[in-house]
Amino acid sequence: MRRNRKVKILATLGPASSSPEMIEKLFMAGVDVFRINMSHTNHDLLKTLYGHIRAVEAKLERPIGVLCDLQGPKIRIDTFAEKEVRIHAGDTFVFDTDPTPGDQIRVHLPHPEIFAAARVGDSLLLNDGRLRVEITEATPNRLTTKVIFGGLLSNRKGVNLPDTVIPIPALTKKDRADLEAAATIGADWIALSFVQRPEDVAEAKKLIAGRAAVMAKIEKPSALTCLDDILKIADGIMVARGDLGVELPIESVPARQKQITRAARRYGRPVVVATQMLESMIEEPVPTRAEVSDVATAVYEGADAVMLSAESASGKWPEKAVQTMDRVAQTVENDSLYGGIIHAQRTEPEITVADAISAAARSIAETLQVPAIVCYTGSGSTGLRIARERPNLPVLALTPVPGTARRLALCWGIHTVLTEDASSIDEMFSRAGEIACKEGFTKPGDRILISAGVPIGTPGTTNMLRVATVGRDGKGV
């Protein structure tokens, strides 16, 4: 099965999409990677969903990626005596360490680390940013604030602190247990929430110990200040526009999305654009024009993947949502302006042999107008390097490693095939031509460009390019 687009689709599983039948329908509709949200998934359900995905993979003989998204720490206020209160602009409102139920003028905030980190002038956002207060006085047990935007405030609503680096680890006790369960079962990607600093990613990678790739979710302003350092450590990046849109001025989010997407491409890291992409399709069978434009913008920008959340997890039209996203992506990529926009964002390759080979592969392939670049990759790094170049033709990645095939399912423009490692250079060329024909990329007589490394089977040795002609028997010569 071959996709007719380069951007990938990531869809969240949930009550509307947890059956084997629906998972297969969603894959056939265009899903490349399935997301399992650990906020709503226990370990038994995780095993069940993972088993369903792998059964579909085996049936259809195509690698499917699995991403487990960790919940991260949740900062919430405590309860009110009357369950809810209404606060007004200009009022004084207090957050303290007293566990007594709150009232019109105060509430318990059960997070002592916030009292230690918050400073006068910092803002607190409540109930997904609908209410805003500003700290006027800060002590170790009490934050006195002035209400800037008022409204209704009820039990256990969430709190965001856009101006404060909170000394809370990105991994809670639950996250550590979920991470271990996901890595043990065989998840290909693990998404890390609440990333504030590169050390958060480093800690997760240490715990995972190479069993899965780590995707850092950028949803805190503090992460933007050290984005380059995070990109150096993380295996991938997610633009988590939900919380990012709460903690930043909402009008700045599109520019931040572009900044993150381009930075990820510069470092050769897959980047996913997420949250509310086709939000109205939770209820409606068609999206709004603005939502279609939003998906199209991410595709024009060169994102590796676009993501569905509640649309596929709990919406009424999960299959239609995937089909809609697939059609939008294909239409954008067939636009005459698309190639120029993608080309304009291209960055210079790193000063390594593998990066130089990958850049040359794109240039040669486009000059000769070959139908595909075929690359042999064990770890996936060669595929990622070629994808970073955003060639205007397909990339066929051949790997003997199932985990690599599944991880590359998230990456722009890569069609991965699981195959045994070649035993000689001649076999390498022959197999490349044979698989390219079988997968529908070429036909006998076509030329293909092959990227590989010698000695064969040695990781990190991408050092060879070969233009080969597919013979009459469908094999490279």
Side-chain angles (χ1 to χ4, degrees), residues 344-366:
Q345 300 165 11
R346 186 169 290 137
T347 59
E348 292 299 315
E350 299 294 321
I351 308 175
T352 69
V353 172
D355 283 288
I357 289 286
S358 298
R362 188 266 312 161
S363 178
I364 294 169
E366 291 181 354

Side-chain angles (χ1 to χ4, degrees), residues 90 412 462:
W412 188 97
T462 302

Side-chain angles (χ1 to χ4, degrees), residues 53-85:
I53 295 166
R54 292 293 169 242
V56 171
E57 179 184 70
K59 177 181 177 181
L60 300 178
E61 298 182 333
R62 290 296 311 142
I64 303 175
V66 176
L67 180 144
C68 290
D69 197 335
L70 303 182
Q71 176 177 286
K74 296 296 181 184
I75 301 174
R76 301 182 185 278
I77 59 172
D78 211 332
T79 60
F80 293 93
E82 301 296 328
K83 296 186 179 180
E84 63 182 26
V85 299

Side-chain angles (χ1 to χ4, degrees), residues 312-378:
S312 60
S314 57
K316 295 179 179 178
W317 312 93
E319 189 175 5
K320 281 184 178 292
V322 174
Q323 291 168 342
T324 299
M325 190 167 267
D326 179 72
R327 288 197 305 271
V328 172
Q330 288 192 49
T331 301
V332 169
E333 292 179 6
N334 287 322
D335 179 14
S336 60
L337 298 176
Y338 175 74
I341 295 171
I342 292 294
H343 177 78
Q345 300 165 11
R346 186 169 290 137
T347 59
E348 292 299 315
E350 299 294 321
I351 308 175
T352 69
V353 172
D355 283 288
I357 289 286
S358 298
R362 188 266 312 161
S363 178
I364 294 169
E366 291 181 354
T367 299
L368 296 179
Q369 297 182 1
V370 299
I373 297 173
V374 182
C375 70
Y376 283 86
T377 182

Side-chain angles (χ1 to χ4, degrees), residues 155-207:
N155 291 345
R156 304 195 185 282
K157 287 299 182 183
V159 181
N160 294 80
L161 292 94
D163 307 320
T164 311
V165 177
I166 310 168
I168 297 177
L171 292 168
T172 64
K173 183 178 179 180
K174 169 181 164 54
D175 292 327
R176 289 171 181 271
D178 290 346
L179 180 152
E180 184 59 31
T184 300
I185 203 172
D188 308 297
W189 290 88
I190 294 178
L192 183 63
S193 300
F194 206 80
V195 172
Q196 298 188 94
R197 55 186 80 83
E199 290 80 5
D200 296 332
V201 183
E203 180 185 8
K205 293 200 76 169
K206 183 177 180 180
L207 293 172

